[in-house]
Amino acid sequence: MIEDVKNVVAPSLETQGYKEKRSGFRRLDWSYHFVAAPLAIVVLIFLTIELFRGLGQREMSNLDWLLFILAVCLVFAVACIRRYATKTQDRMIRIEENFRHYRLTGRTLDPRISISQIIALRYAGDDEFPALCERAATDGMSPTTIRSAVMNWRPDTMRI
């Protein structure tokens, strides 16, 4: 009977549909990971081959160099775009989780908690969030340890 009450109050992860809770927190954006980034790399490789072919045949033109430089810039731009988006998401998570902690405890997050710990803590439900924050600050828990300590998994479907 007690087990039935537990399942009603806090259903297991399997009944919530989060069997892979420990590994299902990373997501891929198909337009970036499978289109933009690979195409940028393919263009860079193709133009590098063309550049060395031209060097070997002594038929270099300024256009070859220009296209190669543009391809390198494209790869750097694609990488920077992803890094900037991730950093922005990290800042938003820090603000959201700091506010959540304040709402639950009346205090802001401990400054000893790193951004990687905060990102892992966002999966914790409200009932266990303050205690996990305290443990993360005092014990210096790794993000993997924090995620494995979460019992009431709260998915983040917005982060890419």
Side-chain angles (χ1 to χ4, degrees), residues 19 31 47 51-52 62 65 71 91 99 106 120 137 139 141 144:
K19 284 184 181 176
S31 62
L47 290 174
L51 183 69
F52 281 111
N62 289 338
W65 282 105
R91 291 184 73 190
F99 177 69
D139 299 345
M141 296 170 70
T144 305

Side-chain angles (χ1 to χ4, degrees), residues 64-75:
D64 292 333
W65 282 105
L66 177 65
L67 289 175
F68 175 74
I69 291 169
L70 287 174
V72 170
C73 291
L74 176 67
V75 168

